C-alpha cells in the first residue's frame, strides 16, 4: 500500500523489486490508490514475467483501518479474487470484486470524487447557514436524518463545527487522488467538471498552507470567501 503509481512500479519492477525475487505464478496484491491506466501497464509488465497483479485499494480512512472494517474494491482475475477473499476479510468489512485489472482503482477514484464533492456541499451549506445568521450546528442536526444526510456529512460536519482538522485523510493525499481521477477521465474523454473544481479548491487550500490538514478543511475555502466561521 504505497503513495502513488511511481512507487508501485518501483517496488514491483524496479531494481531489487518484487519481480527480481518472485517466481512465476506469484500474485502481487497492490492496495495503493493509483492511476488505473498505470495499474494496467504494471500488470502487463509483470505478466511478461509470469507474475499476476491485482489492484485492491481501500476506503474508510484511519478509523476503519484501526477497527478492521475497511472497504476493499478489487480488480483483476475473478478466480484469484475468490482465492484471496478470506485474506482480504481479515482487514475489511466489505470486499467487492469490481472487474478486470484497474477496476479497483476506478472504483476508488469514483469514491474520492464523490467524497470531495460531498464535503464541499456540506461546507457550502453550513457556511450559507452561518452567513444567514442561523446556527450551523442546528442546521446539521435538522437535515442529517433526511435525504441530504450521508456518512460523509456525519463524519465531517462535526469536525468543521468543532474546528478539529486533525487529519484522517490529508488534503495533499486527496489532491493526489483527484489528479489520478482527472488523468484517467481525460484519457477516456469522460466529463468531470465537479472533480476539476474540487481540485482547484484543494490547490487553493494547499497554497494557504492547509495541505497537511484533514480534507474537511475544504470548509476553510468557503469561510475565507464568505468571511465567516462555521463554528458556533
Amino acid at each position: 500500500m504505497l503513495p502513488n503509481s511511481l512507487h508501485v512500479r518501483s517496488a514491483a519492477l524496479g531494481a531489487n523489486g518484487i519481480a527480481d525475487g518472485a517466481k512465476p505464478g506469484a500474485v502481487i496484491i497492490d492496495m495503493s490508490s493509483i492511476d488505473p491506466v498505470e495499474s494496467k501497464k504494471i500488470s502487463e509488465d509483470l505478466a511478461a514475467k509470469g507474475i499476476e497483479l491485482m489492484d485492491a485499494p481501500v476506503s474508510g480512512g484511519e478509523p476503519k483501518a484501526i477497527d478492521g472494517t475497511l472497504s476493499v474494491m478489487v480488480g483483476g482475475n475473478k478466480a484469484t479474487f475468490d482465492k484471496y477473499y478470506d485474506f482480504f476479510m481479515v482487514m475489511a468489512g466489505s470486499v467487492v470484486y469490481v472487474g478486470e485489472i484497474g477496476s479497483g482503482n476506478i472504483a476508488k477514484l469514483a469514491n474520492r470524487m464523490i467524497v470531495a464533492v460531498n464535503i464541499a456541499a456540506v461546507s457550502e451549506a453550513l457556511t450559507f447557514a452561518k452567513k444567514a445568521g442561523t446556527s450551523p450546528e442546528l442546521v446539521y442536526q435538522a437535515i442529517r436524518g433526511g435525504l441530504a444526510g450521508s456518512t460523509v456529512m456525519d463524519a465531517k460536519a462535526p469536525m468543521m463545527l468543532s474546528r478539529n482538522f486533525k487529519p484522517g485523510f490529508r488534503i495533499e493525499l486527496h489532491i493526489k487522488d483527484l489528479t489520478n481521477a482527472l488523468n484517467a477521465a481525460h484519457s477516456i474523454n469522460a466529463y468531470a467538471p465537479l472533480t476539476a473544481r474540487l481540485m482547484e479548491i484543494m490547490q487553493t487550500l494547499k497554497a494557504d498552507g492547509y495541505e497537511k490538514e484533514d480534507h474537511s478543511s475544504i470548509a476553510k475555502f468557503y469561510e475565507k470567501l464568505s468571511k465567516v466561521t462555521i463554528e458556533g
Side-chain angles (χ1 to χ4, degrees):
M1 192 180 293
L2 299 172
N4 214 340
S5 305
L6 62 91
H7 305 100
V8 174
R9 174 168 286 280
S10 177
L13 292 158
N16 300 313
I18 297 170
D20 278 353
K23 297 178 181 179
V27 176
I28 297 175
I29 300 175
D30 176 30
M31 305 192 79
S32 314
S33 298
I34 68 172
D35 185 338
V37 174
E38 184 63 11
S39 283
K40 292 179 181 180
K41 291 178 181 177
I42 294 171
S43 176
E44 291 169 0
D45 292 342
L46 287 169
K49 299 176 180 293
I51 299 169
E52 184 177 347
L53 179 70
M54 299 184 76
D55 63 316
V58 304
S59 181
E62 183 179 353
K64 297 291 186 178
I66 290 171
D67 65 20
T69 58
L70 289 165
S71 294
V72 185
M73 45 220 85
V74 187
N77 181 279
K78 179 60 164 59
T80 306
F81 168 81
D82 292 338
K83 180 180 178 180
Y84 289 104
Y85 178 82
D86 290 340
F87 170 80
F88 287 122
M89 285 302 296
V90 171
M91 68 186 85
S94 168
V95 180
V96 177
Y97 177 74
V98 188
E100 64 182 19
I101 188 71
S103 298
N105 274 300
I106 289 290
K108 178 57 182 288
L109 295 180
N111 172 279
R112 286 288 179 233
M113 294 162 82
I114 292 168
V115 168
V117 173
N118 204 330
I119 294 174
V122 173
S123 300
E124 188 169 311
L126 295 185
T127 304
F128 162 71
K130 185 58 180 280
K131 192 78 174 180
T134 301
S135 166
E137 168 69 35
L138 295 180
V139 168
Y140 163 58
Q141 294 298 337
I143 66 175
R144 61 184 295 230
L147 187 59
S150 67
T151 300
V152 171
M153 178 183 284
D154 282 339
K156 301 305 176 181
M159 295 181 71
M160 298 172 190
L161 292 163
S162 65
R163 317 305 296 164
N164 171 22
F165 298 110
K166 179 181 177 181
F169 191 76
R170 299 192 301 275
I171 287 285
E172 61 186 355
L173 292 178
H174 213 141
I175 287 174
K176 180 263 293 186
D177 284 344
L178 294 190
T179 298
N180 286 334
L182 289 169
N183 286 342
H186 294 159
S187 73
I188 58 172
N189 297 321
Y191 193 46
L194 294 178
T195 301
R197 180 58 177 145
L198 262 296
M199 170 64 92
E200 291 307 309
I201 289 174
M202 290 189 186
Q203 290 289 354
T204 299
L205 291 165
K206 179 182 177 182
D208 286 343
Y210 300 131
E211 70 272 19
K212 301 292 184 183
E213 293 189 354
D214 187 78
H215 49 182
S216 57
S217 285
I218 288 172
K220 292 185 176 181
F221 174 84
Y222 288 93
E223 292 174 337
K224 181 178 180 180
L225 293 178
S226 299
K227 297 181 173 58
V228 296
T229 303
I230 290 174
E231 181 184 27

